[in-house]
Amino acid sequence: MSQPLDTLWYTRCPVPTGLGIAVQQGWLQEDLAGLGTQVQSLREADQQAVRESHFDHSLLNSVRHGGSIPAIWARAQGRDTRVIGLSWADEAQLILTRPDSGIHTVKDLKGRRFGLPDWAAAQIDLTRAQALRGLENALKLAGLQVGDVDLVNYRYDGTFSDRPVRNVAGTPVSSTQSEGRNLELAGLLRGEVDAIFLKGASAVQLAHAFALHTVIDTGSHPDPLIRSNNGTPRTLAVDSHLLAQHPQVVRTLLGSVLRAERWAHQHPDETRRYLARETNSSEYWVQVAYGTDAHLRLSTRLDEQAIDALQDFVEFLKRWRFIPARFEVRDWITRQPLDQLLAPLQMDRKPVTP
């Protein structure tokens, strides 16, 4: 019998996740306290090496729920992790231009300048990868390729984890000097580039504030592979040591996530307020970016559509050399913890036959 786990390290991105709700509501902390396990945030840790585990999953006994790029990168680097759930909450993914640019459709992007972030010092530049994905998917719909546009890089200093994230009234707020600035947006407004990619609540808010023209929102396209990006789907991943040595902790944390999502489905207004805090935005822009049914989109499963989209994204990251090698997503997944928790719920829904 394994020894009780003293500390579970958790991390999530500032996006809609069941783990984020479970932490904000205190349910994860309460549920794990019953096992003698305390909960600590990676991104709020004093040591940068600990904070960096948000991206490279180097710390044992940790769970990460958020954008898939760092999780995929860590796995491709050989990190021994397992995906125990996938969540898919569609969000705005915008290609934006100035209204005087003469760019009205995706076809008009041909030969124009496209601004890209460049976090050269980061282990994995997730902002660049998701912008390239959004651009490539948009161009694909018009029969174009990324080579048909002129890429302009905007260099950021430092990394995503130079300083701890501060928790202000339940909202994780980055204190990294470069994070929070958007150099490519500034370049667009100065006329240095003709188009950029932004996503989420901040994208729709900034597009409105600066009267920008939305060329396309790939986040609302009917094809899930066009919508597939860093946040679609999002990975819920743990290290294999935690899964093997502390399976009850894994089941408990997964149960907390599912509990938070069931609560969200019944509490749309409260969930919208949670999402506003989590994304550091307003409820209005959360609704614009994630939809009026955002509370219903919080659902952690292992659906085939999400698995296929994640595999397609792995191929994209390898093709653009963000990861050193491709791998099979299905080999990365451990279904047992989720299946065990969902089985009783599915039994409850079965019709009673006479």
Side-chain angles (χ1 to χ4, degrees), residues 46-295:
D46 292 332
Q47 302 85 5
Q48 184 172 4
V50 174
R51 297 195 300 272
E52 196 66 17
S53 188
H54 173 85
F55 303 97
D56 62 21
H57 215 132
S58 57
L59 192 66
L60 291 182
N61 302 320
S62 61
V63 56
R64 184 185 189 283
H65 197 181
S68 63
I69 292 173
I72 291 171
W73 179 83
R75 177 70 174 186
Q77 293 285 346
R79 198 71 66 196
D80 193 6
T81 60
R82 307 296 293 180
V83 168
I84 59 173
L86 295 170
S87 61
W88 188 306
D90 285 313
E91 61 185 346
Q93 299 183 50
L94 310 181
I95 302 293
L96 297 169
T97 64
R98 298 181 314 279
D100 62 351
S101 68
I103 299 172
H104 305 290
T105 68
V106 174
K107 284 187 176 182
D108 297 329
L109 290 170
K110 186 174 182 178
R112 305 302 289 269
R113 299 162 300 173
F114 193 90
L116 283 175
D118 180 13
W119 288 79
Q123 291 194 79
I124 173 63
D125 190 347
L126 63 96
T127 61
R128 184 178 183 84
Q130 68 187 13
L132 269 172
R133 175 69 166 188
L135 173 62
E136 183 178 84
N137 280 350
L139 292 172
K140 187 186 305 181
L141 296 173
L144 299 175
Q145 299 177 346
V146 174
D148 292 319
V149 302
D150 181 17
L151 300 180
V152 179
N153 296 324
Y154 285 89
R155 178 64 60 87
Y156 288 79
D157 297 326
T159 73
F160 299 114
S161 58
D162 287 342
R163 301 176 186 174
V165 166
R166 295 175 292 114
N167 197 303
V168 180
T171 300
V173 179
S174 173
S175 55
T176 300
Q177 185 174 2
S178 294
E179 202 168 353
R181 292 187 293 153
N182 195 305
L183 302 182
E184 58 272 25
L185 172 61
L188 176 68
L189 296 175
R190 288 194 298 263
E192 298 169 355
V193 294
D194 302 304
I196 61 171
F197 171 88
L198 294 177
K199 75 175 191 69
S202 62
V204 293
Q205 185 172 0
L206 289 170
H208 175 79
F210 294 106
L212 300 176
H213 169 64
T214 298
V215 180
I216 188 173
D217 176 7
T218 56
S220 62
H221 194 274
D223 185 348
L225 293 185
I226 295 298
R227 302 199 309 275
S228 173
N229 205 325
N230 184 38
T232 40
R234 296 187 173 97
T235 49
L236 177 59
V238 298
D239 58 280
S240 294
H241 177 271
L242 178 66
L243 190 62
Q245 298 300 318
H246 304 285
Q248 185 57 44
V249 170
V250 173
R251 286 194 294 269
T252 300
L253 78 88
L254 189 52
S256 296
V257 169
L258 297 181
R259 172 189 177 187
E261 291 171 349
R262 290 194 298 270
W263 173 87
H265 297 168
Q266 301 299 320
H267 297 84
D269 293 338
E270 292 93 329
T271 300
R272 189 167 55 251
R273 285 193 286 272
Y274 148 74
L275 293 178
R277 290 194 301 272
E278 196 77 344
T279 60
N280 196 21
S281 184
S282 72
E283 293 179 46
Y284 173 77
W285 294 118
V286 161
Q287 183 167 297
V288 174
Y290 296 104
T292 56
D293 62 344
H295 61 293

Side-chain angles (χ1 to χ4, degrees), residues 314-333:
V314 167
E315 309 302 336
F316 162 83
L317 293 173
K318 173 61 175 69
R319 178 159 37 85
W320 280 96
R321 300 181 181 178
F322 286 103
I323 60 175
R326 67 172 302 281
F327 58 87
E328 292 294 328
V329 167
R330 282 177 170 78
D331 295 338
W332 188 25
I333 292 171

